[in-house]
Amino acid sequence: MRTFTSMLLGIVVAAFAASATAGELTIATVNNGHMIEMQKLTDRFEADHPGITVNWVTLEEGILRQRVTTDITTKGGQFDVMTIGMYEAPIWGERGWLEELVFDDEYNVDDILPAMRGGLSANGKLYAAPFYGESSMIMYRKDLVEAAGMTMPDNPTWGHVADVAAALHDPDAGTYGICLRGKPGWGDNMAFITTMANSFGARWFDENWMPQLDSAAWHHAVSFYVDLLNNYGPPGSSANSFNEILALFNEGRCGMWIDATIAASFISDPGQSKVADSVAFAQSPVAVTSRGANWLWAWALAVPAGTQQAEDAKKFIRWATSQAYIELVAEVNGWGAVPTGTRQSTYDNSNFQDAAIFADAELKAILSANPSNSTQEPTPYTGVQFAAIPEFQAIGIAVGQQMSAALAGNVSVAEALEASQIAADREMQKAGYY
Protein backbone atom coordinates (compact mmCIF):
# COMPACT_ATOMS: atom_id res chain seq x y z
CA MET A 1 0.00 0.00 0.00
CA ARG A 2 1.38 3.39 -0.97
CA THR A 3 2.04 5.87 1.83
CA PHE A 4 0.83 9.45 1.72
CA THR A 5 4.44 10.61 1.33
CA SER A 6 5.10 8.38 -1.67
CA MET A 7 1.82 9.47 -3.27
CA LEU A 8 2.75 13.11 -2.75
CA LEU A 9 6.21 12.50 -4.21
CA GLY A 10 4.63 10.89 -7.25
CA ILE A 11 2.37 13.90 -7.79
CA VAL A 12 5.34 16.28 -7.50
CA VAL A 13 7.41 14.22 -9.96
CA ALA A 14 4.53 14.07 -12.45
CA ALA A 15 3.95 17.80 -12.16
CA PHE A 16 7.64 18.49 -12.70
CA ALA A 17 7.66 16.25 -15.79
CA ALA A 18 4.65 18.05 -17.18
CA SER A 19 6.18 21.49 -16.57
CA ALA A 20 9.45 20.38 -18.17
CA THR A 21 7.71 19.68 -21.44
CA ALA A 22 5.20 22.54 -21.35
CA GLY A 23 5.86 24.87 -24.24
CA GLU A 24 8.05 22.36 -26.08
CA LEU A 25 6.77 21.31 -29.51
CA THR A 26 8.06 18.21 -31.26
CA ILE A 27 7.43 18.45 -34.99
CA ALA A 28 7.79 15.58 -37.45
CA THR A 29 8.54 16.67 -41.00
CA VAL A 30 9.94 15.57 -44.33
CA ASN A 31 13.50 16.29 -45.48
CA ASN A 32 12.46 18.47 -48.42
CA GLY A 33 14.05 21.83 -49.13
CA HIS A 34 11.14 24.03 -48.03
CA MET A 35 10.78 22.14 -44.76
CA ILE A 36 14.49 22.47 -44.04
CA GLU A 37 14.22 26.21 -44.69
CA MET A 38 11.32 26.40 -42.23
CA GLN A 39 13.57 24.89 -39.57
CA LYS A 40 16.18 27.59 -40.23
CA LEU A 41 13.54 30.25 -39.58
CA THR A 42 12.20 28.67 -36.39
CA ASP A 43 14.08 31.19 -34.25
CA ARG A 44 11.76 33.88 -35.68
CA PHE A 45 8.75 31.97 -34.40
CA GLU A 46 10.32 31.38 -31.00
CA ALA A 47 11.22 35.06 -30.71
CA ASP A 48 7.61 36.03 -31.41
CA HIS A 49 6.26 33.36 -29.05
CA PRO A 50 8.28 33.46 -25.79
CA GLY A 51 7.95 30.26 -23.81
CA ILE A 52 7.55 28.00 -26.85
CA THR A 53 10.53 26.02 -28.15
CA VAL A 54 10.52 23.77 -31.19
CA ASN A 55 12.23 20.39 -31.58
CA TRP A 56 12.46 18.85 -35.05
CA VAL A 57 12.34 15.24 -36.21
CA THR A 58 13.28 15.32 -39.91
CA LEU A 59 12.78 12.15 -41.91
CA GLU A 60 12.91 10.79 -45.44
CA GLU A 61 9.46 10.77 -47.03
CA GLY A 62 8.69 7.06 -46.72
CA ILE A 63 9.97 6.81 -43.16
CA LEU A 64 8.03 9.92 -42.14
CA ARG A 65 4.80 8.35 -43.36
CA GLN A 66 5.50 5.17 -41.41
CA ARG A 67 6.39 7.02 -38.21
CA VAL A 68 3.44 9.39 -38.12
CA THR A 69 0.98 6.66 -39.14
CA THR A 70 2.22 4.40 -36.37
CA ASP A 71 2.13 7.22 -33.85
CA ILE A 72 -1.39 8.38 -34.71
CA THR A 73 -2.90 4.88 -34.83
CA THR A 74 -1.28 3.73 -31.57
CA LYS A 75 -1.78 7.10 -29.82
CA GLY A 76 1.94 7.14 -29.19
CA GLY A 77 2.06 10.87 -28.49
CA GLN A 78 5.56 11.40 -29.90
CA PHE A 79 4.62 14.46 -31.94
CA ASP A 80 2.73 17.69 -31.34
CA VAL A 81 2.72 18.66 -35.02
CA MET A 82 2.79 16.18 -37.90
CA THR A 83 3.59 16.75 -41.54
CA ILE A 84 0.95 14.83 -43.48
CA GLY A 85 -0.80 15.10 -46.83
CA MET A 86 -4.10 14.96 -48.65
CA TYR A 87 -4.36 11.21 -48.20
CA GLU A 88 -4.17 11.20 -44.42
CA ALA A 89 -5.86 14.49 -43.47
CA PRO A 90 -9.50 13.73 -44.38
CA ILE A 91 -9.35 10.09 -43.24
CA TRP A 92 -7.69 10.85 -39.90
CA GLY A 93 -9.80 13.96 -39.36
CA GLU A 94 -13.05 12.08 -39.88
CA ARG A 95 -11.89 9.43 -37.39
CA GLY A 96 -11.24 12.07 -34.73
CA TRP A 97 -7.50 11.57 -34.77
CA LEU A 98 -6.70 15.22 -35.60
CA GLU A 99 -7.62 18.55 -34.07
CA GLU A 100 -9.77 20.79 -36.21
CA LEU A 101 -7.94 23.94 -37.31
CA VAL A 102 -9.84 27.19 -36.87
CA PHE A 103 -7.96 30.43 -37.51
CA ASP A 104 -8.75 34.13 -37.10
CA ASP A 105 -9.76 36.43 -39.95
CA GLU A 106 -6.23 37.78 -40.34
CA TYR A 107 -5.03 34.31 -41.36
CA ASN A 108 -7.47 34.47 -44.29
CA VAL A 109 -8.29 30.81 -44.86
CA ASP A 110 -10.20 31.79 -48.01
CA ASP A 111 -6.87 32.77 -49.59
CA ILE A 112 -5.84 29.09 -49.57
CA LEU A 113 -6.45 27.57 -53.01
CA PRO A 114 -9.78 25.69 -52.97
CA ALA A 115 -8.18 22.46 -54.21
CA MET A 116 -5.77 22.51 -51.28
CA ARG A 117 -8.35 23.51 -48.69
CA GLY A 118 -10.80 20.89 -49.90
CA GLY A 119 -8.22 18.11 -49.99
CA LEU A 120 -7.25 18.73 -46.37
CA SER A 121 -10.80 18.86 -45.02
CA ALA A 122 -13.52 16.41 -44.04
CA ASN A 123 -17.18 17.30 -43.58
CA GLY A 124 -16.37 20.97 -44.07
CA LYS A 125 -13.75 21.07 -41.32
CA LEU A 126 -10.08 21.86 -41.96
CA TYR A 127 -7.76 19.30 -40.34
CA ALA A 128 -4.39 20.29 -41.82
CA ALA A 129 -3.00 23.55 -43.20
CA PRO A 130 -0.87 23.41 -46.35
CA PHE A 131 2.75 24.44 -45.99
CA TYR A 132 3.25 23.96 -49.70
CA GLY A 133 1.09 22.46 -52.40
CA GLU A 134 1.91 20.85 -55.69
CA SER A 135 0.82 19.13 -58.82
CA SER A 136 3.20 17.48 -61.28
CA MET A 137 4.57 18.70 -64.60
CA ILE A 138 7.40 18.31 -67.09
CA MET A 139 10.63 20.12 -66.31
CA TYR A 140 13.14 20.03 -69.13
CA ARG A 141 16.35 21.47 -70.54
CA LYS A 142 15.25 23.77 -73.36
CA ASP A 143 18.85 24.17 -74.54
CA LEU A 144 19.21 20.42 -75.08
CA VAL A 145 15.80 20.13 -76.72
CA GLU A 146 16.63 22.90 -79.17
CA ALA A 147 20.09 21.48 -79.87
CA ALA A 148 18.51 18.11 -80.67
CA GLY A 149 16.13 19.76 -83.14
CA MET A 150 13.11 18.81 -81.03
CA THR A 151 10.22 20.76 -79.56
CA MET A 152 8.21 20.42 -76.37
CA PRO A 153 4.55 21.46 -76.69
CA ASP A 154 2.67 22.52 -73.59
CA ASN A 155 0.49 19.36 -73.64
CA PRO A 156 2.65 16.57 -75.13
CA THR A 157 1.79 12.91 -75.54
CA TRP A 158 3.80 10.18 -73.88
CA GLY A 159 4.93 9.09 -77.33
CA HIS A 160 6.40 12.54 -77.98
CA VAL A 161 8.09 12.55 -74.57
CA ALA A 162 9.73 9.22 -75.41
CA ASP A 163 10.98 10.63 -78.71
CA VAL A 164 12.46 13.66 -76.95
CA ALA A 165 14.06 11.44 -74.30
CA ALA A 166 15.70 9.37 -77.04
CA ALA A 167 17.04 12.51 -78.71
CA LEU A 168 18.46 13.92 -75.46
CA HIS A 169 19.95 10.69 -74.14
CA ASP A 170 23.75 10.91 -74.17
CA PRO A 171 25.14 8.87 -71.27
CA ASP A 172 28.71 9.21 -72.59
CA ALA A 173 28.37 12.94 -72.00
CA GLY A 174 26.74 12.32 -68.62
CA THR A 175 23.22 13.30 -69.69
CA TYR A 176 20.21 11.00 -69.44
CA GLY A 177 17.12 11.54 -71.55
CA ILE A 178 14.61 11.37 -68.72
CA CYS A 179 14.60 10.95 -64.94
CA LEU A 180 11.59 9.53 -63.10
CA ARG A 181 10.86 8.16 -59.64
CA GLY A 182 11.56 4.48 -59.10
CA LYS A 183 11.92 4.14 -55.33
CA PRO A 184 9.07 2.05 -53.91
CA GLY A 185 6.34 3.72 -51.89
CA TRP A 186 2.65 4.55 -52.19
CA GLY A 187 3.54 8.24 -52.26
CA ASP A 188 6.83 7.73 -54.07
CA ASN A 189 7.07 5.72 -57.29
CA MET A 190 3.34 4.98 -57.17
CA ALA A 191 2.44 8.68 -57.11
CA PHE A 192 4.11 9.05 -60.48
CA ILE A 193 3.14 5.67 -61.94
CA THR A 194 -0.52 6.16 -61.00
CA THR A 195 -0.77 9.45 -62.89
CA MET A 196 0.90 7.81 -65.87
CA ALA A 197 -1.47 4.86 -65.66
CA ASN A 198 -4.46 7.20 -65.35
CA SER A 199 -3.50 8.79 -68.65
CA PHE A 200 -3.30 5.34 -70.25
CA GLY A 201 -6.92 4.74 -69.17
CA ALA A 202 -6.19 2.70 -66.04
CA ARG A 203 -7.82 2.83 -62.62
CA TRP A 204 -7.07 1.24 -59.26
CA PHE A 205 -10.56 -0.19 -58.67
CA ASP A 206 -13.75 -0.65 -60.65
CA GLU A 207 -17.13 0.54 -59.39
CA ASN A 208 -17.46 -2.57 -57.21
CA TRP A 209 -14.06 -2.03 -55.58
CA MET A 210 -12.45 -4.86 -57.51
CA PRO A 211 -8.74 -4.17 -58.13
CA GLN A 212 -7.87 -3.55 -61.78
CA LEU A 213 -4.09 -3.95 -61.73
CA ASP A 214 -4.18 -6.84 -64.19
CA SER A 215 -5.93 -4.72 -66.84
CA ALA A 216 -4.53 -4.00 -70.30
CA ALA A 217 -4.22 -0.29 -69.44
CA TRP A 218 -1.97 -1.02 -66.44
CA HIS A 219 0.15 -3.39 -68.56
CA HIS A 220 0.57 -0.76 -71.28
CA ALA A 221 1.45 2.01 -68.80
CA VAL A 222 3.93 0.06 -66.69
CA SER A 223 5.61 -1.51 -69.73
CA PHE A 224 6.03 1.97 -71.23
CA TYR A 225 7.44 3.27 -67.93
CA VAL A 226 9.94 0.42 -67.54
CA ASP A 227 11.11 0.63 -71.16
CA LEU A 228 11.41 4.42 -71.00
CA LEU A 229 13.66 4.41 -67.95
CA ASN A 230 15.68 1.38 -68.97
CA ASN A 231 16.38 2.90 -72.38
CA TYR A 232 16.82 6.58 -71.51
CA GLY A 233 17.05 6.90 -67.72
CA PRO A 234 20.01 6.96 -65.34
CA PRO A 235 21.32 3.68 -63.93
CA GLY A 236 19.85 2.69 -60.58
CA SER A 237 16.52 4.40 -61.24
CA SER A 238 14.70 1.88 -59.07
CA ALA A 239 16.27 3.57 -56.02
CA ASN A 240 15.68 7.18 -57.08
CA SER A 241 13.16 9.44 -55.36
CA PHE A 242 12.59 13.20 -55.43
CA ASN A 243 15.79 14.28 -53.72
CA GLU A 244 18.05 11.95 -55.72
CA ILE A 245 16.63 13.17 -59.02
CA LEU A 246 16.73 16.79 -57.90
CA ALA A 247 20.46 16.42 -57.34
CA LEU A 248 20.90 14.83 -60.77
CA PHE A 249 18.91 17.54 -62.52
CA ASN A 250 20.72 20.37 -60.75
CA GLU A 251 24.02 18.86 -61.90
CA GLY A 252 22.79 18.88 -65.51
CA ARG A 253 22.41 15.11 -65.72
CA CYS A 254 18.70 14.96 -66.69
CA GLY A 255 17.26 16.15 -69.98
CA MET A 256 13.73 15.85 -68.62
CA TRP A 257 12.09 15.25 -65.27
CA ILE A 258 8.38 14.73 -64.57
CA ASP A 259 7.67 15.26 -60.90
CA ALA A 260 6.31 17.64 -58.28
CA THR A 261 5.85 21.24 -59.41
CA ILE A 262 7.58 22.34 -56.21
CA ALA A 263 10.88 21.19 -57.76
CA ALA A 264 10.68 24.09 -60.20
CA SER A 265 11.72 26.59 -57.54
CA PHE A 266 14.89 24.58 -56.85
CA ILE A 267 16.01 23.82 -60.40
CA SER A 268 15.47 27.44 -61.48
CA ASP A 269 17.53 28.81 -58.58
CA PRO A 270 21.09 29.66 -59.72
CA GLY A 271 22.26 29.11 -56.16
CA GLN A 272 21.25 25.45 -56.33
CA SER A 273 21.17 24.52 -60.01
CA LYS A 274 23.92 24.58 -62.61
CA VAL A 275 21.27 24.66 -65.36
CA ALA A 276 18.92 27.24 -63.85
CA ASP A 277 19.08 29.47 -66.92
CA SER A 278 18.06 26.74 -69.35
CA VAL A 279 15.01 25.09 -67.74
CA ALA A 280 11.48 25.23 -69.11
CA PHE A 281 8.15 23.69 -68.20
CA ALA A 282 5.18 21.90 -69.78
CA GLN A 283 2.09 20.09 -68.55
CA SER A 284 2.24 16.37 -67.76
CA PRO A 285 2.08 13.99 -70.75
CA VAL A 286 -1.09 12.21 -71.82
CA ALA A 287 -1.77 8.93 -73.61
CA VAL A 288 -5.47 8.26 -74.19
CA THR A 289 -6.85 10.80 -71.71
CA SER A 290 -5.78 13.87 -69.79
CA ARG A 291 -7.75 12.85 -66.71
CA GLY A 292 -5.51 12.22 -63.76
CA ALA A 293 -2.35 12.89 -65.76
CA ASN A 294 -0.95 15.13 -63.05
CA TRP A 295 -1.27 14.66 -59.33
CA LEU A 296 -2.52 16.92 -56.55
CA TRP A 297 -0.78 17.00 -53.19
CA ALA A 298 0.02 19.21 -50.25
CA TRP A 299 2.53 18.73 -47.50
CA ALA A 300 0.53 20.07 -44.61
CA LEU A 301 0.81 20.53 -40.85
CA ALA A 302 -1.67 18.93 -38.47
CA VAL A 303 -2.17 18.54 -34.72
CA PRO A 304 -2.78 15.00 -33.46
CA ALA A 305 -5.71 14.74 -31.06
CA GLY A 306 -4.58 14.17 -27.50
CA THR A 307 -1.40 16.23 -27.55
CA GLN A 308 -0.91 18.30 -24.41
CA GLN A 309 0.47 21.13 -26.54
CA ALA A 310 -2.51 21.61 -28.87
CA GLU A 311 -2.83 25.39 -28.54
CA ASP A 312 0.91 26.04 -28.98
CA ALA A 313 0.95 23.59 -31.89
CA LYS A 314 -1.84 25.54 -33.60
CA LYS A 315 0.09 28.77 -33.07
CA PHE A 316 3.04 27.24 -34.89
CA ILE A 317 0.89 26.02 -37.77
CA ARG A 318 -0.75 29.42 -38.09
CA TRP A 319 2.71 31.03 -38.32
CA ALA A 320 4.21 28.52 -40.75
CA THR A 321 1.29 28.49 -43.21
CA SER A 322 0.45 32.18 -43.20
CA GLN A 323 0.89 34.79 -45.89
CA ALA A 324 3.27 36.54 -43.49
CA TYR A 325 5.54 33.47 -43.46
CA ILE A 326 5.68 33.45 -47.26
CA GLU A 327 6.67 37.11 -47.15
CA LEU A 328 9.33 36.29 -44.54
CA VAL A 329 10.90 33.67 -46.82
CA ALA A 330 10.80 36.19 -49.68
CA GLU A 331 12.57 38.75 -47.49
CA VAL A 332 15.29 36.27 -46.49
CA ASN A 333 15.75 34.26 -49.71
CA GLY A 334 13.87 36.07 -52.47
CA TRP A 335 10.45 35.53 -54.03
CA GLY A 336 11.67 32.70 -56.23
CA ALA A 337 12.32 30.59 -53.14
CA VAL A 338 8.97 30.88 -51.35
CA PRO A 339 6.79 27.81 -50.68
CA THR A 340 4.15 27.75 -53.40
CA GLY A 341 0.92 26.03 -54.32
CA THR A 342 -1.05 27.16 -51.27
CA ARG A 343 -2.31 30.74 -51.51
CA GLN A 344 -3.84 32.71 -54.35
CA SER A 345 -2.15 35.84 -53.01
CA THR A 346 1.24 34.33 -53.86
CA TYR A 347 0.32 34.00 -57.54
CA ASP A 348 -1.27 37.47 -57.56
CA ASN A 349 1.95 39.01 -56.27
CA SER A 350 3.89 40.72 -59.07
CA ASN A 351 7.18 40.15 -57.26
CA PHE A 352 6.55 36.40 -57.29
CA GLN A 353 5.51 36.46 -60.94
CA ASP A 354 8.71 38.29 -61.85
CA ALA A 355 10.93 35.92 -59.86
CA ALA A 356 9.27 32.58 -60.60
CA ILE A 357 9.46 31.57 -64.26
CA PHE A 358 7.42 28.49 -63.39
CA ALA A 359 4.49 30.31 -61.74
CA ASP A 360 1.95 30.05 -64.55
CA ALA A 361 2.77 26.43 -65.42
CA GLU A 362 2.58 25.40 -61.77
CA LEU A 363 -0.77 27.07 -61.12
CA LYS A 364 -2.20 25.65 -64.35
CA ALA A 365 -1.22 22.14 -63.29
CA ILE A 366 -2.68 22.55 -59.80
CA LEU A 367 -5.97 23.92 -61.09
CA SER A 368 -6.32 21.16 -63.70
CA ALA A 369 -6.03 18.29 -61.19
CA ASN A 370 -9.43 16.92 -60.22
CA PRO A 371 -9.50 14.25 -57.47
CA SER A 372 -13.21 13.61 -58.13
CA ASN A 373 -12.74 12.82 -61.83
CA SER A 374 -9.26 11.41 -62.29
CA THR A 375 -9.81 8.35 -64.47
CA GLN A 376 -11.25 7.60 -67.89
CA GLU A 377 -13.66 5.00 -66.51
CA PRO A 378 -15.77 5.64 -63.38
CA THR A 379 -14.46 4.71 -59.95
CA PRO A 380 -15.89 4.72 -56.42
CA TYR A 381 -12.89 6.58 -54.96
CA THR A 382 -11.53 10.12 -54.90
CA GLY A 383 -7.88 11.01 -55.33
CA VAL A 384 -5.61 11.43 -58.35
CA GLN A 385 -2.43 9.55 -57.45
CA PHE A 386 -4.05 7.56 -54.65
CA ALA A 387 -7.42 6.15 -53.67
CA ALA A 388 -8.64 7.90 -50.54
CA ILE A 389 -9.43 4.79 -48.50
CA PRO A 390 -7.58 3.52 -45.41
CA GLU A 391 -6.55 0.31 -47.16
CA PHE A 392 -4.71 2.11 -49.95
CA GLN A 393 -1.56 2.73 -47.95
CA ALA A 394 -0.81 -1.00 -47.55
CA ILE A 395 -1.85 -1.72 -51.13
CA GLY A 396 0.23 1.13 -52.53
CA ILE A 397 3.32 0.03 -50.62
CA ALA A 398 2.98 -3.55 -51.89
CA VAL A 399 2.42 -2.47 -55.49
CA GLY A 400 5.25 0.05 -55.31
CA GLN A 401 7.66 -2.71 -54.34
CA GLN A 402 6.55 -4.78 -57.32
CA MET A 403 6.95 -1.83 -59.73
CA SER A 404 10.45 -1.11 -58.43
CA ALA A 405 11.36 -4.79 -58.83
CA ALA A 406 10.09 -4.74 -62.43
CA LEU A 407 12.12 -1.61 -63.15
CA ALA A 408 15.23 -3.24 -61.70
CA GLY A 409 14.65 -6.30 -63.90
CA ASN A 410 14.09 -8.67 -61.00
CA VAL A 411 10.61 -9.63 -62.25
CA SER A 412 8.72 -9.07 -65.49
CA VAL A 413 6.01 -6.43 -65.77
CA ALA A 414 3.41 -9.18 -66.09
CA GLU A 415 4.68 -10.90 -62.94
CA ALA A 416 4.77 -7.62 -61.02
CA LEU A 417 1.20 -6.74 -61.95
CA GLU A 418 -0.07 -10.24 -61.21
CA ALA A 419 1.47 -10.09 -57.74
CA SER A 420 0.07 -6.57 -57.29
CA GLN A 421 -3.41 -7.72 -58.22
CA ILE A 422 -3.23 -10.57 -55.71
CA ALA A 423 -1.99 -8.25 -52.94
CA ALA A 424 -4.70 -5.66 -53.62
CA ASP A 425 -7.43 -8.30 -53.80
CA ARG A 426 -6.31 -9.78 -50.50
CA GLU A 427 -6.41 -6.39 -48.72
CA MET A 428 -9.83 -5.47 -50.12
CA GLN A 429 -11.33 -8.82 -49.19
CA LYS A 430 -9.87 -8.59 -45.69
CA ALA A 431 -11.41 -5.13 -45.29
CA GLY A 432 -14.82 -6.45 -46.34
CA TYR A 433 -15.29 -4.52 -49.57
CA TYR A 434 -16.62 -7.71 -51.23
Side-chain angles (χ1 to χ4, degrees), residues 49-395:
H49 298 82
I52 303 177
T53 58
V54 176
N55 301 314
W56 291 94
V57 178
T58 306
L59 303 165
E60 184 271 330
E61 185 172 319
I63 297 173
L64 171 76
R65 288 192 168 106
Q66 293 172 6
R67 287 280 299 275
V68 299
T69 299
T70 299
D71 194 61
I72 200 85
T73 55
T74 62
K75 299 181 180 179
Q78 295 183 57
F79 308 116
D80 303 301
V81 177
M82 292 177 166
T83 304
I84 62 173
M86 287 186 171
Y87 170 71
E88 299 93 347
I91 295 174
W92 294 0
E94 196 166 26
R95 291 185 170 190
W97 294 353
L98 299 175
E99 295 268 345
E100 181 186 359
L101 299 181
V102 180
F103 298 113
D104 56 23
D105 291 342
E106 185 182 0
Y107 179 82
N108 192 6
V109 71
D110 291 335
D111 184 40
I112 298 175
L113 295 172
M116 298 299 162
R117 195 165 69 245
L120 297 169
S121 300
N123 302 319
K125 296 180 179 180
L126 186 69
Y127 286 104
F131 181 72
Y132 71 80
E134 64 186 37
S135 184
S136 52
M137 65 181 177
I138 303 172
M139 296 161 279
Y140 66 96
R141 292 274 303 279
K142 60 184 178 181
D143 57 332
L144 297 182
V145 171
E146 291 171 2
M150 302 294 287
T151 61
M152 180 61 74
D154 190 48
N155 293 281
T157 65
W158 270 111
H160 182 78
V161 165
D163 290 341
V164 175
L168 302 187
H169 192 58
D170 188 1
D172 290 339
T175 303
Y176 304 103
I178 191 164
C179 296
L180 302 170
R181 295 190 189 198
K183 187 174 183 177
W186 72 264
D188 218 318
N189 65 341
M190 291 316 300
F192 171 76
I193 292 172
T194 299
T195 58
M196 187 177 190
N198 289 342
S199 79
F200 274 75
R203 54 183 174 168
W204 275 94
F205 307 100
D206 68 12
E207 293 171 283
N208 296 313
W209 291 106
M210 294 292 295
Q212 299 295 295
L213 291 155
D214 57 356
S215 67
W218 271 101
H219 276 270
H220 292 158
V222 177
S223 296
F224 192 97
Y225 163 79
V226 168
D227 289 345
L228 188 64
L229 274 180
N230 282 337
N231 290 329
Y232 310 121
S237 285
S238 61
N240 284 347
S241 185
F242 179 89
N243 286 332
E244 289 82 7
I245 301 175
L246 175 62
L248 285 171
F249 197 101
N250 281 344
E251 287 294 318
R253 308 291 298 278
C254 300
M256 269 186 297
W257 181 21
I258 303 167
D259 209 301
T261 54
I262 200 70
S265 62
F266 306 135
I267 64 174
S268 60
D269 176 7
Q272 302 182 53
S273 173
K274 294 180 179 179
V275 296
D277 60 349
S278 60
V279 296
F281 310 95
Q283 299 303 297
S284 288
V286 301
V288 301
T289 180
S290 62
R291 290 184 187 175
N294 50 290
W295 70 61
L296 185 68
W297 185 254
W299 277 120
L301 302 177
V303 180
T307 175
Q308 300 302 304
Q309 316 291 341
E311 293 309 309
D312 287 346
K314 291 175 184 178
K315 289 177 183 177
F316 180 83
I317 291 176
R318 187 196 185 286
W319 172 80
T321 63
S322 67
Q323 185 175 347
Y325 175 84
I326 293 172
E327 292 170 353
L328 171 62
V329 176
E331 176 188 331
V332 174
N333 298 317
W335 275 99
V338 301
T340 61
T342 59
R343 290 180 170 270
Q344 183 62 47
S345 57
T346 301
Y347 295 92
D348 292 341
N349 189 298
S350 59
N351 293 317
F352 174 70
Q353 285 285 340
D354 291 342
I357 61 172
F358 55 85
D360 291 341
E362 177 182 62
L363 185 59
K364 182 178 180 180
I366 290 172
L367 296 179
S368 70
N370 185 354
S372 299
N373 188 22
S374 63
T375 57
Q376 186 178 44
E377 296 182 84
T379 67
Y381 59 86
T382 58
V384 181
Q385 74 278 19
F386 57 83
I389 57 173
E391 295 73 23
F392 180 79
Q393 185 164 344
I395 293 171

